[in-house]
Amino acid sequence: MYRSSALVPVMALAACAAAWAQTPSYSNVGRSPTTEEIQAWDISIGPDGKELPPGSGTAKEGAEIFAKKCAACHGPTAEGTPLGPRLLGGKGTINTPQPVRTIGSYWPFATTVWDYINRAMPQGQGGSLSANEVYALTAFVLFRNDIVKEGDVMDAKSLPKVQMPNRNGFVPLRLEDIGDMKKRGCHGGHCP
Amino acid sequence: MDSKQSPRRRFLKNASLMAGLAVGAKQSASGQTLKSETSEARSKDLHAYGDRSRFVKSSRAGSLGLWPPAAGPTRDYGFRTPLQDSVGIITPGSLHFVLNHGQEPPDIDPGQHRLLIHGMVDRPLIFTLEDLQRLPSVSRLHFLECHGNSAMSAPNRALRIAETATVQDTHGLTSCSEWTGVLLSVLLKEAGVQKGATWLLAEGADEVKHTKSIPLDKATEDVLVAYGQNGEAIRPDQGYPLRLLVPGWQGISNVKWLRRIKVVDEPYMAMMETTRYPSLRPDGKSRWFESEHGPKSVITRPSGGQKLPGPGFHEITGLAWSGGGTVRRVEVSTDGGRTWKDAQLQEPIARKAHTRFRMEWNWDGSEAVLQSRCTDDRREVQPTLAALAKIWGVNMDYFQLAGTVDMGNFNAIHSWKVNRDGSVRNVPV
């Protein structure tokens, strides 16, 4: 069947997957979606940002939107309130006994910021922001964390290139090594 | 049967235990304190959908803090299963732990709900719930556990380390159900996975459209697209009408209200998996995608907050599980880990499911420290706290520092201390 041996490398697995994947077995179950249906649902942005839509924004533009739509929960300075987490600070705390995980101190990918604002923010109104607004808010949050400059234009090309401060704070570093727990030497729910 | 007693006698004993436990873990387990209560008007038709006895009060507890905690309509961040009252291995749907990160379950009309499978596939497909129910189904027993269960980190550190903590407080973010649905491998085969695909992205229909990356390897091994739980439709707080069930893996992977699966060639680094769920160690390095739960067990009776009425016979019982496979062995110690005896395992013993263990014990009335230790079929053994510290590269002092321990999949051996007066207390470290 499809169960893979623990020792088979990832590439061979992909080949196996391709081998069993070709023929459907059950007739007339499910239907083909239209291109429009897929486009409407396909909102996820990966770390290389290849799905990022057209549009752009700067921190300056983002500051205005933030004040209107985000500050009520995250606070006027983005330092958080009981209603929403802090979006900045924590620099230099990650290897201390009191780590403060924020976008600036911890998040490894700028694309995750864009994806999460786009799908989930503002709370209860996820999906309501335009692409330009999401770019602007992402730029604002990155600017407030000293990661980009106030005038830097964030768009589909520039955003994936933003180097997040904690990008190298993860084991393993390479994305292609993450999936294989055995290769990583993980045992009993813990990885070395 | 694993029992030296007749099934009937065991049943009667369990029934009396349940009656005692009905008033909550902090009461005597003897059942002597139970008082009858004033009758309440019953508005529901109990013949149409049954209810439990009004004398049974066992319930989930929202003990993870309020969200939002200061203003607006507050709601509990999560709810813990009352493991101290559990018998057997199945958690009723109504008592299954809930951790929705503060989100209310969406109110989904099953007639409107769709599951889209797309991305690196030859044939993108949309399924209705009815479509999925036409396909070959399987039912499997599996536990679900939150990656933070029994961890000593904030926000529930104070509760976790309190001497008065119950097993609901310390371990209540694990539950076990019979899940029914379609193997994800069946759906992926219908769609035709393309060469080069290595991961999939699963997405829910909740307020924040929670997203999780899962290796295709795991997805085709044993993952279910589930619509049934314990013989009925999945409850709304468990993902009605559809959820992903990723056996043995952290709760966060088991996407509720499942609406979309995209086949891709890399992990998508969504918010939860990259920013909230990696374990962070003292050197500042994080481990992400530590998905599988290790071997773990806990004694549910006698457990914290209960009180033994006096010396004499007491069954020691609890639950064991492993995300790596089947529970092979559970040992129990009554002397704080100096000596161990094999406990009896209740059949059926299912892969990646709670397994009930039992051991007969005659308590002599002296102080005792009760522990259990699980070994799975890969021969991996549940670690002591010291062994866990070694794996994580920290010293034992680390666990004494408030707010520091920020590591998931905490599966250290747990201790309950039985005092001379019969009271049972949590031993945090």
Side-chain angles (χ1 to χ4, degrees), chain A residues 87-98:
Chain A
L87 304 175
L88 47 82
K91 206 185 279 184
T93 67
I94 295 302
N95 62 350
T96 71
Q98 300 290 342

Side-chain angles (χ1 to χ4, degrees), chain A residues 68-176:
Chain A
K68 275 187 219 152
K69 299 191 174 181
C70 316
C73 292
H74 293 289
T77 57
E79 281 170 14
T81 78
L83 298 177
R86 61 162 50 240
L87 304 175
L88 47 82
K91 206 185 279 184
T93 67
I94 295 302
N95 62 350
T96 71
Q98 300 290 342
V100 178
R101 302 194 208 194
T102 71
I103 289 171
S105 68
Y106 195 77
W107 289 36
F109 297 100
T111 46
T112 309
V113 183
W114 200 100
D115 178 271
Y116 195 73
I117 293 173
N118 181 52
R119 70 174 55 241
M121 293 292 114
Q123 189 175 27
Q125 299 163 57
S128 66
L129 299 171
S130 71
N132 285 340
E133 286 178 308
V134 180
Y135 279 116
L137 286 169
T138 304
F140 174 71
V141 172
L142 294 175
F143 165 66
R144 290 302 317 275
N145 279 287
D146 303 319
I147 297 169
V148 302
K149 296 193 181 76
E150 193 167 19
D152 286 354
V153 176
M154 289 295 111
D155 59 21
K157 276 191 177 165
S158 59
L159 184 66
K161 289 181 189 152
V162 171
Q163 282 301 308
M164 298 296 275
N166 194 44
R167 172 63 188 92
N168 295 337
F170 294 81
V171 180
L173 196 56
R174 297 183 340 144
L175 303 193
E176 50 268 43

Side-chain angles (χ1 to χ4, degrees), chain A residues 187-192, chain B residues 147 149-153 279-283 285 287 290 383-395 398-399 404-412:
Chain A
H187 288 287
H190 310 285
C191 299
Chain B
H147 119 295
N149 192 29
S150 56
M152 297 169 88
S153 48
S279 288
L280 177 54
R281 297 194 187 163
D283 64 358
K285 291 284 182 185
R287 272 71 179 171
E290 284 183 313
T384 60
L385 191 62
L388 196 55
K390 203 174 169 189
I391 295 171
W392 285 344
V394 298
N395 57 39
Y398 192 67
F399 299 103
T404 61
V405 180
D406 199 9
M407 298 165 180
N409 295 5
F410 187 98
N411 62 335

